[in-house]
Structures are given as structure tokens and as C-alpha cells.
């Protein structure tokens, strides 16, 4: 039976952080479902890059098809969760169903992969991440720590089922660990 992976995101998701995991999951034979806050079927991605600025730059990216809305998601049907970064985490965390969905994966010890700004979305489920270790884009450190998690100053970190990364260029390490954990599920 094929493993089922849920990717929760919205407009302004970082393109590489959504597309790379989605296609990598399909390559692995997993069923991958992209869920967004609304019934909108086409999401707008952004491209973040590290140029000669003090922070990242942002440009318009590709369009991304969503398969379901958060409201339609029953997390019991999924084996693992991916939350990509970009600016999407800032607004998806405000959706009434986000906490219900994300909490399930922590409570059931299912694999969870977050990267870049995805840590910001998890601040609405602070009880689930309190005492956990994670990394994220360095500008997210205050939110991670305010939610009671321990910020780890590395580009890639694993705390049991929570797999976290700094940015899109850490995707090879993240996906290697994520695929390993999903394949180990009974």
C-alpha cells in the first residue's frame, strides 16, 4: 500500500520548497496531496534567492495546483506531513483547520518535515513544539524560541519525527531523512 504524504501550503510558498518535495515524493511512489487554506486550485509561488542583499530577495514563481482545501483534510488518512516555507506559513497558520491538521502529526509521531519559514506556522501549536529542537531560517529564531522550542544553529536537524531545515538549498538532506522515515513506517 502506497504511503500518503500531505503538503500544506498557500499563496507565496517558496517554489523550490513545494515542487522539490512534491515530485520527490511522487518519485518515491508516495501519494502526495497539496492542501491550501481555500478551495482555490491554483496557488502562486515565489522564488527566494540569496543575492548581495542583507536578506533574501523575492520574485514571482510558477503556479502550483492544490488538490484539496484544509477543511477537506482528515489527517488520519496521511502518513506524513510537509510544510514548505516562503511567506505562506505566515497566513496558513491563521486558518481554523491548520492547528487541527498539524497537531495530529505531532500527537501520532508521524514524520513531519518543515523548512525555512515553516517554523512560524508551528507557533500556533506551541504545546506540540515546546521543548522540541528545530532549525529554521535564522530570522525565525525569535518565533521558534518564543513558542518554547529550542533553535538549533545548523542547516539541517532531526528531532525524532521532526525534520527541519534552514532553506531550500537544504532539501537534499531533508528529503533523504524524510523518505527514510516514511519508508520505515509500518
Amino acid at each position: 500500500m502506497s504511503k500518503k504524504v500531505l503538503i500544506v501550503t498557500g499563496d507565496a510558498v517558496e517554489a523550490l520548497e513545494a515542487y522539490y518535495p512534491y515530485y520527490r515524493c511522487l518519485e518515491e511512489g508516495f501519494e502526495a496531496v497539496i492542501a491550501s487554506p481555500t478551495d482555490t486550485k491554483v496557488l502562486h509561488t515565489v522564488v527566494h534567492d540569496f543575492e548581495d542583499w542583507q536578506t533574501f530577495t523575492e520574485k514571482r514563481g510558477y503556479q502550483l495546483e492544490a488538490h484539496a482545501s484544509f477543511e477537506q483534510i482528515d489527517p488520519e488518512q496521511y502518513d506524513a506531513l510537509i510544510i514548505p516555507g516562503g511567506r505562506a506559513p505566515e497566513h496558513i497558520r491563521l486558518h481554523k483547520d491548520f492547528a487541527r491538521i498539524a497537531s495530529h502529526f505531532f500527537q501520532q509521531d508521524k514524520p513531519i518535515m518543515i523548512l525555512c519559514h515553516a517554523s512560524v506556522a508551528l507557533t500556533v501549536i506551541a504545546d506540540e513544539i515546546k521543548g522540541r529542537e528545530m532549525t529554521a531560517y535564522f530570522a525565525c529564531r525569535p518565533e521558534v524560541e518564543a513558542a518554547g522550542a529550542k533553535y538549533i544553529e545548523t542547516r539541517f536537524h532531526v528531532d525524532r519525527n521532526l525534520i527541519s531545515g534552514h532553506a531550500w538549498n537544504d532539501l537534499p538532506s531533508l528529503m533523504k531523512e524524510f523518505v527514510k522515515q516514511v519508508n520505515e513506517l509500518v
Side-chain angles (χ1 to χ4, degrees):
M1 186 170 174
S2 176
K3 301 288 195 283
K4 197 168 181 182
V5 175
L6 178 63
I7 301 171
V8 294
T9 193
D11 278 333
V13 62
E14 208 296 322
L16 279 172
E17 295 176 18
Y19 276 105
Y20 186 115
Y22 175 69
Y23 286 118
R24 185 66 188 92
C25 285
L26 295 180
E27 257 182 6
E28 210 42 52
F30 305 155
E31 180 181 346
V33 174
I34 298 171
S36 72
T38 65
D39 285 333
T40 302
K41 294 296 181 193
V42 177
L43 300 174
H44 305 281
T45 71
V46 295
V47 175
H48 288 158
D49 208 350
F50 304 98
E51 298 174 12
D52 289 331
W53 291 32
Q54 293 175 349
T55 186
F56 57 86
T57 60
E58 182 176 282
K59 299 169 184 79
R60 288 180 73 103
Y62 300 104
Q63 293 184 334
L64 177 68
E65 183 180 347
H67 307 115
S69 69
F70 287 0
E71 190 173 277
Q72 298 168 320
I73 297 300
D74 174 6
E76 290 281 340
Q77 296 180 6
Y78 295 87
D79 298 297
L81 174 67
I82 295 174
I83 307 174
R87 285 184 294 116
E90 296 170 14
H91 69 91
I92 66 171
R93 67 183 170 169
L94 302 175
H95 190 277
K96 65 181 179 65
D97 288 305
F98 176 80
R100 170 185 63 82
I101 293 167
S103 291
H104 167 82
F105 293 88
F106 281 95
Q107 293 164 3
Q108 300 301 313
D109 284 324
K110 295 178 178 180
I112 302 161
M113 186 182 92
I114 64 167
L115 62 158
C116 200
H117 286 76
S119 60
V120 172
L122 297 182
T123 61
V124 298
I125 56 168
D127 288 347
E128 304 294 348
I129 64 170
K130 187 175 183 173
R132 299 293 300 263
E133 295 180 347
M134 70 178 77
T135 192
Y137 185 65
F138 71 90
C140 300
R141 182 180 188 154
E143 287 86 354
V144 168
E145 292 176 341
K150 182 178 181 184
Y151 183 86
I152 304 297
E153 292 187 32
T154 59
R155 302 220 31 119
F156 166 72
H157 188 73
V158 179
D159 178 1
R160 300 186 329 261
N161 65 319
L162 180 58
I163 305 155
S164 57
H166 184 262
W168 56 260
N169 44 1
D170 301 305
L171 278 162
S173 298
L174 287 159
M175 286 307 299
K176 183 177 182 181
E177 177 66 23
F178 181 78
V179 166
K180 177 180 151 246
Q181 286 197 23
V182 172
N183 280 329
E184 289 173 350
L185 294 172
V186 193

